[in-house]
């Protein structure tokens, strides 16, 4: 995993307003520390007009408190501004932390963090009073505490979240957690609720402040359906938008084409949340980005569905729109401005791509559902549609010019393949849902359908001609496998939703159905790990 670099706090030695003690650049802007407050300037772009600022002050704090840097970093800061050398500032020390001592009697305030989040710890000495601590916010449109206990600051275009505080005491060699929560007082003030703790030992109150931004325009619907992260921490998102002012940058398609409802979009954000590129993607019909992946070069792959007869294509293996709704698959270069390939994938009825994966040599696997009797097949495991709606699995060569295989997958009822993952050998792991009693099985853990709709898990060999295993996974009611991932040992991890009180569980953290309605499907979530052979569950639990 890529470790995020720490914030680098600079001491103010004349390069800033004299009221500032220390300051740091964050990915989203800057923070300026004083003895009684922190001022934040947040930017979406380099334009000052895109900036928002707010202040967080500690109410009733000691104005004579002193702030000092701790854990000095190797980097130095230098300012050579103007022609007068007396105004230059050189070899300014930088620090990992800043400690403001005695902001309240017996209470220090410590700042630290990384490029995208800021942690501030109130360190309460033994016998000191933590109830004196209070925060006030100026320049925000409002404050709220959400259902997860997070403090949310409302700023137009920004989401600034203080994660639910973590409270603890280090006593001997053990760390003991203490109950605690935010509590609002009036319209802009916040205090901390505290559980019982040992007043003979120091107490730490540790919230984390996280900055993020909305992604959308003035339309009614901007929805992210798929997300991917590369090895450097860049984030890639695809989905649907009906906004004609959706934010675009370095765009392959800078304006919306959709004349009916939606265009797809593709956006790349830096590890700090800044927009790197963002583009519409679609024709004059409705286009939906459903799945996204990224390879080691930063090239972006996406799939979804389209009703556009003029959908943007490049080097397509299927040049023409099949009819009603087609799936599509496309590849953009790392800049987001060049379409390397793009193709329809579908027959004369309804087809949609739901999942996407890229193997280690650039082959692309697309999965979804089809109602077309003439869906394009290539060396298929199953050559014809057997039910009203079947799942499909297709593998595309690295250049995007040809299908290596494409097959139906289903029984006499209805299926969809919702997710795909690929191992180092090129085998495809599939997850979805079926209501067929004759769904194709191999070495099945669960050989028969248990309810009205079951989830399923399957492993297809790299040539697409044989199932290494395929099994139902479900109980007496409705079950839907929504996601799958595979580890280096070939074990598959599945998640989804279930309304079955007898969903198969093994070594569960939650053994019984909670009966909740935590998704649009309803019921409980589940998480299951399937052994590499596919013949046993390592664990399976309700959540």
């Amino acid at each position: 995993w890529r470790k995020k670099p720490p914030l680098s706090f600079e001491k103010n030695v004349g390069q800033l307003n004299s009221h500032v003690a220390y300051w740091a650049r964050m990915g989203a802007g800057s923070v300026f520390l004083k003895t009684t407050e922190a001022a934040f300037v947040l930017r979406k772009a380099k334009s000052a007009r895109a900036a928002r600022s707010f202040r967080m002050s500690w109410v009733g704090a000691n104005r004579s408190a002193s702030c000092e840097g701790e854990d000095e970093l190797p980097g130095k800061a230098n300012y050579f501004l103007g022609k007068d050398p007396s105004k230059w500032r050189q070899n300014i020390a930088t620090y990992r932390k800043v400690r403001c001592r005695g902001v309240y009697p017996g209470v220090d305030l410590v700042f630290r963090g990384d490029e995208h989040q800021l942690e501030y710890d109130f360190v309460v000495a033994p016998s000191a009073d933590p109830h004196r601590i209070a925060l006030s916010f100026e320049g925000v449109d409002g404050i709220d505490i959400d259902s997860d206990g997070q403090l949310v600051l409302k700023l137009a275009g920004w989401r600034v979240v203080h994660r639910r505080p973590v409270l603890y005491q280090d006593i001997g060699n053990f760390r003991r957690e203490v109950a605690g929560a935010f509590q609002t007082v009036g319209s802009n003030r916040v205090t901390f609720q505290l559980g019982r703790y040992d007043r003979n030992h120091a107490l730490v109150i540790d919230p984390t402040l996280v900055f993020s931004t909305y992604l959308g325009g003035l339309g009614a619907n901007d929805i992210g359906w798929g997300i991917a992260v590369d090895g450097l921490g860049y984030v890639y998102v695809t989905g649907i938008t009906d906004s004609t002012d959706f934010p675009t940058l370095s765009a392959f398609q800078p304006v919306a084409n959709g004349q009916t409802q939606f265009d797809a979009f593709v956006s790349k954000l830096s590890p700090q949340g800044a927009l790197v590129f963002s583009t519409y993607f679609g024709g004059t019909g409705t286009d939906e980005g459903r799945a996204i992946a990224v390879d080691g070069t930063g090239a972006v792959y996406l799939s979804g569905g389209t009703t556009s007869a003029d959908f943007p294509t490049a080097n397509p293996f299927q040049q023409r729109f099949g009819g009603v709704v087609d799936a599509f698959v496309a590849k953009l270069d790392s800049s987001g401005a060049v379409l390397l390939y793009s193709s329809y994938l579908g027959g004369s009825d309804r087809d949609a791509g739901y999942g996407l994966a890229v193997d280690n040599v650039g082959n692309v696997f697309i999965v979804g559902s089809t109602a077309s009797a003439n869906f394009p097949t290539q060396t298929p495991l199953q050559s014809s549609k057997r039910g009203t709606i079947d799942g499909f699995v297709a593998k595309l060569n690295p250049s995007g010019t040809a299908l290596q295989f494409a097959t139906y997958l289903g029984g006499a009822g209805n299926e969809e393949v919702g997710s795909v993952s690929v191992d180092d050998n090129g085998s495809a792991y599939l997850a979805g849902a079926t209501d067929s009693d004759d769904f194709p099985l191999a070495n099945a853990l669960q050989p028969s359908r248990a309810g009205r709709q079951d989830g399923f898990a399957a492993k297809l060999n790299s040539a697409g001609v044989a199932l290494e295993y395929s099994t139902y996974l479900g109980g007496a009611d409705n079950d839907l496998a929504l996601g799958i991932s595979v580890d280096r040992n070939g074990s598959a991890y599945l998640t989804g939703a279930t309304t079955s009180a007898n969903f198969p569980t093994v070594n569960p953290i939650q053994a019984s159905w909670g009966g909740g309605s935590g998704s649009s499907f309803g019921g409980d979530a589940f998480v299951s790990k399937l052994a590499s052979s596919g013949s046993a569950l390592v664990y399976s639990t309700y959540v």
Side-chain angles (χ1 to χ4, degrees):
W1 290 96
R2 174 181 179 267
K3 186 177 181 179
K4 294 181 179 180
L7 281 187
S8 173
F9 292 95
E10 292 178 22
K11 186 173 183 177
N12 181 19
V13 294
Q15 75 273 31
L16 297 171
N17 182 291
S18 61
H19 295 294
V20 174
Y22 287 81
W23 82 291
R25 298 180 182 89
M26 299 178 296
S30 304
V31 57
F32 302 88
L33 304 181
K34 306 177 185 180
T35 56
T36 58
E37 70 177 26
F40 299 88
V41 178
L42 308 179
R43 292 184 175 89
K44 290 185 182 179
K46 294 182 179 179
S47 169
R49 290 176 296 177
R52 285 295 306 265
S53 63
F54 70 95
R55 291 187 296 168
M56 178 178 73
S57 60
W58 16 112
V59 180
N62 177 14
R63 294 185 175 274
S64 300
S66 62
C67 298
E68 296 295 334
E70 294 184 344
D71 294 349
E72 186 171 349
L73 296 168
K76 303 292 183 181
N78 300 282
Y79 294 82
F80 301 99
L81 303 176
K83 296 182 179 180
D84 184 357
S86 68
K87 297 181 179 178
W88 296 351
R89 301 291 183 268
Q90 297 173 252
N91 295 316
I92 300 172
T94 61
Y95 300 90
R96 186 185 300 268
K97 299 178 183 178
V98 173
R99 181 183 294 268
C100 297
R101 297 185 182 276
V103 293
Y104 298 100
V107 178
D108 292 352
L109 178 55
V110 180
F111 291 91
R112 69 184 193 280
D114 59 40
E115 289 182 345
H116 196 44
Q117 63 184 31
L118 177 71
E119 294 190 44
Y120 57 100
D121 300 348
F122 287 101
V123 182
V124 183
S127 300
D129 184 7
H131 295 96
R132 298 189 62 168
I133 301 169
L135 302 175
S136 178
F137 297 91
E138 295 183 33
V140 300
D141 301 323
I143 61 175
D144 192 17
I145 297 176
D146 68 14
S147 59
D148 294 321
Q150 301 181 124
L151 177 67
V152 180
L153 307 185
K154 301 174 184 177
L155 286 84
W158 282 94
R159 178 176 169 84
V160 180
V161 174
H162 298 240
R163 298 264 171 84
R164 184 184 180 97
V166 176
L167 286 75
Y168 63 88
Q169 294 183 288
D170 289 329
I171 301 175
N173 295 321
F174 298 95
R175 173 161 293 183
R176 192 178 79 179
E177 292 188 6
V178 176
F182 288 114
Q183 177 176 271
T184 56
V185 180
S187 61
N188 70 336
R189 188 170 293 188
V190 175
T191 59
F192 295 95
Q193 292 179 328
L194 305 175
R196 296 180 63 182
Y197 69 97
D198 188 343
R199 294 181 181 273
N200 296 313
H201 295 272
L203 169 70
V204 177
I205 303 172
D206 179 13
T208 300
L209 197 157
V210 180
F211 306 91
S212 64
T213 182
Y214 295 104
L215 184 63
L218 293 174
N221 296 282
D222 303 290
I223 302 171
W225 284 117
I227 190 166
V229 182
D230 68 18
L232 297 176
Y234 288 86
V235 179
Y236 303 77
V237 183
T238 190
I240 57 176
T241 178
D242 60 1
S243 297
T244 57
D245 61 341
F246 189 87
T248 58
L249 180 67
S250 304
F252 163 73
Q253 182 183 320
V255 296
N257 280 340
Q259 297 176 357
T260 55
Q261 192 171 10
F262 296 114
D263 266 3
F265 71 83
V266 186
S267 300
K268 177 181 178 180
L269 292 88
S270 74
Q272 296 77 39
L275 207 58
V276 178
F277 69 72
S278 184
T279 182
Y280 292 99
F281 196 70
T284 53
T286 292
D287 313 284
E288 297 187 354
R290 286 281 180 169
I292 192 166
V294 59
D295 66 17
T297 70
V300 182
Y301 304 77
L302 62 150
S303 185
T306 178
T307 66
S308 299
D310 56 350
F311 187 82
T313 58
N315 305 312
F317 60 86
Q318 179 181 328
Q319 187 167 1
R320 297 186 181 279
F321 180 55
V324 190
V325 183
D326 271 10
F328 70 83
V329 58
K331 179 181 179 180
L332 291 161
D333 78 343
S334 59
S335 73
V338 178
L339 189 60
L340 299 177
Y341 64 71
S342 177
S343 179
Y344 293 104
L345 176 61
S348 57
D349 209 321
R350 294 180 177 272
D351 315 283
Y354 295 137
L356 183 77
V358 183
D359 69 13
N360 51 21
V361 294
N363 298 302
V364 180
F365 296 74
I366 312 104
V367 298
S369 67
T370 176
S372 298
N374 59 341
F375 184 85
T377 58
Q378 177 72 29
T379 59
L381 169 72
Q382 178 181 323
S383 59
S384 61
K385 184 167 71 81
R386 299 173 61 192
T388 305
I389 299 173
D390 273 8
F392 73 79
V393 187
K395 180 180 179 180
L396 185 63
N397 70 356
S399 65
T401 56
L403 289 169
Q404 298 192 34
F405 68 75
T407 182
Y408 292 97
L409 184 66
N414 296 282
E415 281 80 27
E416 67 174 39
V417 186
S419 182
V420 59
S421 185
V422 183
D423 67 17
D424 290 340
N425 298 317
S427 297
Y429 297 73
L430 316 171
T434 176
D435 62 8
S436 298
D437 287 322
D438 57 348
F439 184 80
L441 302 176
N443 302 313
L445 164 72
Q446 180 181 323
S448 60
R449 181 166 64 100
R452 291 182 291 178
Q453 175 181 266
D454 274 9
F456 69 80
K459 179 181 179 182
L460 186 65
N461 72 355
S462 60
V465 295
L467 287 168
E468 298 189 23
Y469 66 74
S470 178
T471 183
Y472 293 100
L473 184 65
D477 205 344
N478 282 318
D479 313 284
L480 174 63
L482 293 167
I484 192 167
S485 189
V486 61
D487 67 19
R488 291 184 177 180
N489 297 318
S491 297
Y493 302 77
L494 293 99
T495 188
T498 177
T499 59
S500 297
N502 62 338
F503 186 85
T505 58
V506 174
N507 301 317
I509 61 168
Q510 179 182 331
S512 59
W513 183 57
S517 55
S519 73
S520 59
F521 175 81
D524 281 7
F526 69 82
V527 181
S528 303
K529 179 179 179 181
L530 199 59
S532 58
S533 64
S535 59
L537 286 168
V538 179
Y539 61 74
S540 182
T541 182
Y542 293 99
V543 183

